[in-house]
Amino acid sequence: MARCRGTTAPPDESSRGARWCPRCCTDRRNRWKADVRAAHHRLAGTPAFLPDEGKHYSEAWSEAHRIFHRTLLEGCGNPVLLETFDRMWTASELARRWSTDRNPGRDGAEEHRRLEEAALARDADTAAELLTHHLTLTADALRE
């Protein structure tokens, strides 16, 4: 049996001689989709605010939020992008957690649901547009 070379695309000219296994790659894509659904389900079911944690995002919600966004990116398979995400997320976590005072005008749950849908549909343009909007709203809250 041919050994999967760990890609999600068929071989091209640059990979001449490497082996590619479409079944393994399909399994990997299906696993990513299931992981995205599970991460979104966890995020949607985690209370963003808890009485004993004050008026800012809860620790549990913040972790579920990180996992959701990280899982969305894992579909790219680019370790440099994933490492960059990890560094940037850690560096910005305090600001992000303090970016809201239970803003009733923002529907973060709907933003995340739409991001999930666009990613699973592999609609890169819509996902990029939604993510830009999502991040802009967070940045705007920090400036207020």
Side-chain angles (χ1 to χ4, degrees), residues 40-107:
H40 182 261
H41 182 75
R42 176 181 177 192
L43 177 61
T46 303
F49 304 99
L50 296 173
D52 60 333
E53 291 193 32
K55 63 182 182 175
H56 303 294
Y57 290 123
S58 71
E59 296 257 352
W61 186 89
S62 292
E63 179 61 7
H65 188 228
R66 182 192 69 77
I67 290 169
F68 172 70
H69 282 280
R70 177 66 153 74
T71 303
L72 287 174
L73 287 177
E74 286 174 355
C76 75
N78 182 329
V80 174
L81 177 63
L82 296 173
E83 290 168 12
T84 302
F85 169 85
D86 291 339
R87 284 192 308 275
M88 290 178 70
W89 190 275
T90 299
S92 63
E93 177 59 10
L94 180 60
R96 186 176 26 266
R97 285 196 59 198
W98 285 73
S99 70
T100 185
D101 287 329
R102 300 178 191 237
N103 182 347
R106 185 170 184 190
D107 189 351

Side-chain angles (χ1 to χ4, degrees), residues 40 106-117 130:
H40 182 261
R106 185 170 184 190
D107 189 351
E110 178 64 12
E111 291 172 37
H112 291 119
R113 186 193 64 73
R114 292 179 67 205
L115 278 167
E116 175 195 25
E117 285 180 2
L130 292 169

